[in-house]
Amino acid sequence: MTIAILSRGRCGLSTCVTRYLVAVAAADLLIVILDLILRHIPIVYWEHFLYVQSIPICNIHAVLLFAATDCSVWFTVTFTFDRFVAICCQKLKGNYCTERTAAIVLGTVTLLSCVKNIFWYFMLTGRYLLMTHPWFCAVEQKFYSSEVWAAIEVIHYIFTPAVPFAIILLLNCLTVRQIVAASRARRRLRGQNNVDCGQRPRDPEMESRRKSIILLLVISGNFIALWSLYVVYALCNRVLLLGYKSAAVNIFVEQIGFMLQLLSCCTNTGIYAVTQTKFREEVRKAVARPFSVLARCVK
């Protein structure tokens, strides 16, 4: 529903912003399908997936899932960078914040995400391991305790999502600082021009900026908050496997972290509904349309 509503371009957002938000929604939908749905098929039909298959289904599943996860994370980064350029880099804005640039950036991120995660195909077996949390592919025994595997896994978590965390926080801080400074200057200017007015006049430009920064901060903050616990557990678990028992964390932390990470892929629609008035209007129209058609048919 989110993809359909945003794609119609009636939410008061630029085509550039719309492309980024549609891409994020599409990546999140893929994660819901690959992680929340397809991951449970081997659990339900475990007798068919317990042993090695002629086709390495689990390996392919892992590559697609991790690539979709990387896309979801880095699409959020590219959206944050686009808003940073639009607000803080006026000279670059005209050339960068375009629909064509958005398409190139999103396509490049998608390609790099797929290439980056091909190594999982060779690191994992084709067998689903149904006795661990979360249930997924078994690791090749020769890699399980090797330093090479440890290094690759740590690098994986650094790029998704440790580096995005840092980039998003930095860009958001710079963007908010620029908006606050510009808002103060604009208020002073309007105050001087309207010194004789009895009430503060409405400022559409300020309202637009306020809505943009709320959308940006809520999406970025939601991503960071819901991913943090899972990343902390993953890094502690890797340190534990290397022999540092002091890094042991209760399995309950992993379960909650895994749940929150998946929840981050299901909250963007709610975020748009809370922060964007026109999006709410389009949702109401979409929900009411079938009933309107039914009413006309009955008449």
Side-chain angles (χ1 to χ4, degrees):
M1 181 178 67
T2 301
I3 294 171
I5 290 175
L6 290 174
S7 298
R8 297 180 68 187
R10 298 180 181 178
C11 296
L13 302 170
S14 67
T15 55
C16 178
V17 171
T18 298
R19 282 219 170 188
Y20 284 111
L21 296 184
V22 168
V24 171
D28 289 345
L29 178 60
L30 280 177
I31 294 175
V32 170
I33 294 172
L34 292 169
D35 212 336
L36 291 179
I37 298 176
L38 295 186
R39 186 193 286 266
H40 285 77
I41 292 177
I43 299 172
V44 177
Y45 302 100
W46 63 271
E47 66 275 10
H48 300 292
F49 290 89
L50 188 59
Y51 302 103
V52 178
Q53 307 292 312
S54 56
I55 300 176
I57 299 175
C58 197
N59 305 62
I60 299 171
H61 185 187
V63 172
L64 294 175
L65 173 58
F66 288 122
T69 303
D70 279 7
C71 285
S72 176
V73 171
W74 283 97
F75 286 169
T76 304
V77 175
T78 56
F79 169 66
T80 305
F81 182 75
D82 177 84
R83 292 300 85 201
F84 166 76
V85 171
I87 294 171
C88 302
C89 307
Q90 294 299 315
K91 293 182 179 179
L92 183 60
K93 177 181 176 180
N95 293 326
Y96 184 83
C97 299
T98 63
E99 191 174 3
R100 181 174 179 275
T101 301
I104 293 173
V105 170
L106 293 172
T108 302
V109 169
T110 302
L111 178 61
L112 292 177
S113 297
C114 294
V115 172
K116 169 183 172 289
N117 289 286
I118 288 177
F119 76 88
W120 292 106
Y121 183 92
F122 304 100
M123 293 288 187
L124 301 173
T125 67
R127 180 169 57 90
Y128 282 88
L129 187 62
L130 305 181
M131 286 78 70
T132 59
H133 301 276
W135 291 319
F136 205 42
C137 310
V139 180
E140 287 281 1
Q141 192 62 37
K142 61 181 178 180
F143 294 119
Y144 191 75
S145 57
S146 71
E147 294 181 357
V148 174
W149 169 261
I152 291 176
E153 192 173 16
V154 169
I155 291 172
H156 170 72
Y157 286 114
I158 287 175
F159 278 96
T160 306
V163 172
F165 275 14
I167 295 175
I168 288 174
L169 286 174
L170 175 62
L171 293 177
N172 280 346
C173 289
L174 295 174
T175 302
V176 170
R177 187 182 68 174
Q178 176 67 20
I179 288 179
V180 170
S183 299
R184 287 175 180 172
R186 188 174 179 85
R187 268 198 303 269
R188 285 196 298 267
L189 180 61
R190 289 178 65 85
Q192 293 172 1
N193 293 336
N194 299 279
V195 67
D196 296 328
C197 295
Q199 60 182 3
R200 180 179 296 177
R202 182 173 176 270
D203 189 348
E205 178 66 20
M206 290 294 295
E207 292 178 3
S208 176
R209 289 182 181 181
R210 190 180 302 112
K211 289 181 179 180
S212 296
I213 197 61
I214 288 174
L215 177 62
L216 174 64
L217 292 180
V218 171
I219 290 178
S220 303
N222 171 75
F223 163 69
I224 291 175
L226 295 181
W227 267 83
S228 297
L229 190 61
Y230 179 77
V231 173
V232 169
Y233 177 84
L235 294 177
C236 288
N237 188 56
R238 171 43 59 187
V239 173
L240 176 64
L241 291 175
L242 293 178
Y244 298 93
K245 295 184 179 180
S246 60
V249 180
N250 194 292
I251 191 68
F252 179 73
V253 177
E254 180 197 21
Q255 294 170 346
I256 296 298
F258 187 63
M259 180 191 70
L260 292 177
Q261 180 225 333
L262 293 177
L263 182 63
S264 69
C265 300
C266 307
T267 54
N268 282 339
T269 300
I271 290 173
Y272 303 148
V274 170
T275 61
Q276 302 294 307
T277 304
K278 291 185 178 180
F279 183 86
R280 291 197 298 272
E281 294 175 357
E282 290 299 316
V283 171
R284 282 194 290 266
K285 291 178 182 178
V287 172
R289 188 170 292 113
F291 297 99
S292 301
V293 173
L294 181 62
R296 286 197 298 270
C297 293
V298 170
K299 291 180 180 179

